[in-house]
Amino acid sequence: MSIIEKIKNAEEVFWLNTNYRRFNMDDFSFTEDDINDAYLRLKRFRSYIKIAFPETSENEGIIESPLIKIPKMKQELSNMYNENYKGELLLKCDNELPISGSIKARGGIYEVLKHAEDLALKHNLLKITDDYSIFASPKFTEFFAQYKIAVGSTGNLGLSVGIMGAKLGFQVFVHMSMDAQAWKKDLLRKLGVTVVEYDADYSEAVKRGREQAENDETMYFIDDENSLNLFFGYAVSAYHLKEQIDSMNIIIDQEHPLFVYLPCGVGGGPGGITFGLKNIYKDNVYCFFAEPTHSPAMLLGLMTGMHDKITVKDLGLDNKTIADGLAVGRPSAFIGSTIGHLINGVYTVSDENLLMMLRSMYKTQNLKLEPSALAGLHGIKLEKLYPDFKITHLAWATGGGMVPQSVFETYLNSL
């Protein structure tokens, strides 16, 4: 059976990227300086972040998550797949990322902060050399109340934009697809964010958010499908990850590659992280995207070269998955065409396996993850395809820290 037939049948597949090319910065219209610029901007905002979100004060206002070893879960996966996996298994715990508890905080919060800085500079409220704690003053919140931010989301990007935007004082509009969890919408509304719901998928929510912003000059649209600012916000994470890997004395070289497994929705988060990691580790890091069997949008876009001109529904798939953050039917054309050649491969995971791993992770490591965040763990199965390497496996946990206990228990008790 061909891989396309398996995809149509919602079976788990692995696709090795036949268009992969070695990393070369000359291939891009942007440079490492753009990542450095994002890093320095986040650094300037640390004094404000400490005040606005006291939970970040211990880390001096740095929005970062732990990197941990999960040996018990590695053994559980070995038992589950009847394999003896040799490589170390690490978890990048973006489920614990401060402020909004998901990978989307990296891009969403960064773009909101950049927009706030741009407005403040334009209206002479700020100089780059100022102490950015002034953003917490009534003068700034009253100023930002004149302006609006809109975003389309399946949930987590909307959370990060809504939390950060509302804290600064913006009027925020989050256009939510039908896949978005009720608790995420409820939380946003409690913060004063306007949530616009659709009985349609992610692409429609983004489209309607974009249309709203086009008709209002005071509104700024955060475009999950095409934003360079989101992209650079995600890419910055590679700098911090390298520091964590170095502190664990983990060797990354040609014989000891780093395999990174990134859950993928529209592609912005994993795309930005891939670019950042390739910039640092070049071809010694292998980046694989993970998607639900019912929503393999990036896989189809890359395989066919059609990018956003193809949707999962074109193959008869329903784009319905318990991994709400990954329920995207049409991939980002920007990510596919810009960094698609850096992605080593894409694999898919069934909802059943996501829930099985969710329960195992809670049982063995006492970690609460949302279903989307488990997709990365499935990547350890690729070890047997690369027998000559001494691999360090890194699964990126996209979210879960803010999931209400009652919702988490429904995941534990499902199937």
Side-chain angles (χ1 to χ4, degrees):
M1 187 184 297
S2 71
I3 189 169
I4 285 290
E5 287 302 314
K6 289 182 179 179
I7 293 169
K8 284 182 177 179
N9 293 335
E11 295 179 34
E12 293 184 345
V13 299
F14 169 65
W15 175 72
L16 186 66
N17 189 356
T18 52
N19 298 312
Y20 178 81
R21 299 200 309 273
R22 297 171 68 86
F23 180 83
N24 184 342
M25 189 61 83
D26 292 339
D27 289 340
F28 307 99
S29 60
F30 39 83
T31 69
E32 186 176 9
D33 289 342
D34 292 300
I35 309 177
N36 290 334
D37 180 55
Y39 175 81
L40 292 173
R41 182 168 292 105
L42 287 169
K43 189 174 182 180
R44 290 195 293 274
F45 269 102
R46 286 179 192 174
S47 60
Y48 165 71
I49 295 293
K50 280 199 299 183
I51 294 171
F53 302 96
E55 66 268 29
T56 67
S57 57
E58 285 186 15
N59 207 21
E60 295 301 314
I62 299 173
I63 304 170
E64 197 43 78
S65 69
L67 178 68
I68 63 171
K69 297 178 180 180
I70 48 171
K72 293 178 182 177
M73 188 61 197
K74 177 188 157 186
Q75 185 58 52
E76 190 79 1
L77 290 166
S78 293
N79 297 338
M80 192 182 299
Y81 300 130
N82 197 27
E83 289 282 344
N84 180 26
Y85 298 116
K86 298 176 181 177
E88 187 93 71
L89 178 59
L90 308 176
L91 188 73
K92 184 59 175 153
C93 300
D94 274 9
N95 54 302
E96 298 180 27
L97 205 66
I99 302 178
S100 70
S102 82
I103 188 174
K104 289 293 189 178
R106 298 182 180 278
I109 287 172
Y110 171 72
E111 182 151 1
V112 171
L113 292 176
K114 184 180 187 304
H115 179 54
E117 183 188 63
D118 288 344
L119 283 174
L121 289 169
K122 178 182 177 181
H123 291 271
N124 299 314
L125 294 174
L126 177 74
K127 297 189 296 292
I128 292 289
T129 53
D130 285 343
D131 179 347
Y132 276 35
S133 63
I134 60 176
F135 276 83
S137 68
K139 177 182 178 181
F140 276 77
T141 52
E142 290 167 10
F143 168 72
F144 291 131
Q146 307 169 71
Y147 295 93
K148 309 179 187 82
I149 294 175
V151 66
S153 176
T154 59
N156 284 344
L157 181 64
L159 266 187
S160 66
V161 169
I163 292 170
M164 190 75 250
K167 180 67 72 170
L168 281 161
F170 287 101
Q171 301 172 55
V172 185
F173 296 78
V174 178
H175 297 259
M176 290 284 209
S177 67
M178 62 182 177
D179 315 284
Q181 294 283 317
W183 69 266
K184 296 178 183 180
K185 292 180 278 193
D186 292 344
L187 176 56
L188 285 170
R189 288 187 173 114
K190 285 178 184 176
L191 295 172
V193 173
T194 300
V195 177
V196 187
E197 298 182 64
Y198 299 95
D199 187 22
D201 68 8
Y202 162 86
S203 295
E204 180 67 16
V206 173
K207 176 186 171 186
R208 298 290 286 275
R210 189 181 289 117
E211 288 172 352
Q212 183 191 19
E214 285 172 355
N215 298 317
D216 188 340
E217 61 182 20
T218 67
M219 180 174 286
Y220 178 80
F221 180 62
I222 293 180
D223 190 341
D224 196 16
E225 294 179 329
N226 301 297
S227 170
L228 266 176
N229 290 322
L230 287 177
F231 184 79
F232 295 136
Y234 296 126
V236 168
S237 63
Y239 289 1
H240 294 145
L241 181 65
K242 184 181 186 304
E243 292 173 2
Q244 292 174 320
I245 287 174
D246 289 347
S247 70
M248 296 170 81
N249 297 315
I250 295 171
I251 297 170
I252 306 297
D253 59 24
Q254 193 170 353
E255 292 182 13
H256 306 81
L258 177 66
F259 276 37
V260 182
Y261 310 116
L262 295 152
C264 177
V266 73
I273 290 169
T274 293
F275 178 75
L277 288 172
K278 293 284 185 176
N279 178 53
I280 291 172
Y281 292 112
K282 305 300 188 281
D283 298 294
N284 295 327
V285 61
Y286 290 63
C287 296
F288 299 93
F289 286 13
E291 297 185 294
T293 52
H294 285 251
S295 304
M298 185 59 69
L299 172 59
L300 289 178
L302 291 175
M303 272 184 65
T304 62
M306 294 174 69
H307 303 305
D308 65 334
K309 301 298 189 294
I310 189 170
T311 79
V312 302
K313 292 185 178 180
D314 292 336
L315 270 72
L317 295 169
D318 58 12
N319 193 30
K320 293 180 180 178
T321 170
I322 195 162
D324 59 298
L326 310 182
V328 174
R330 188 188 303 273
S332 164
F334 163 66
I335 294 298
S337 59
T338 306
I339 64 99
H341 66 282
L342 298 180
I343 302 165
N344 292 83
V346 185
Y347 63 83
T348 60
V349 196
S350 69
D351 279 12
E352 291 76 17
N353 275 332
L354 290 175
L355 288 169
M356 195 183 306
M357 289 186 286
L358 181 146
R359 289 194 290 270
S360 295
M361 181 68 86
Y362 185 62
K363 179 181 75 174
T364 61
Q365 304 284 166
N366 197 30
L367 291 172
K368 284 174 57 178
L369 303 181
E370 62 183 7
S372 301
L374 278 304
L377 289 170
H378 200 62
I380 198 170
K381 294 179 72 175
L382 301 182
E383 184 179 278
K384 63 183 179 182
L385 301 181
Y386 298 86
D388 297 331
F389 289 155
K390 296 174 182 174
I391 299 168
T392 296
H393 302 277
L394 191 157
W396 211 288
T398 50
M402 296 183 73
V403 175
Q405 184 62 29
S406 59
V407 175
F408 185 70
E409 285 174 3
T410 66
Y411 296 144
L412 291 177
N413 298 325
S414 57
L415 280 186

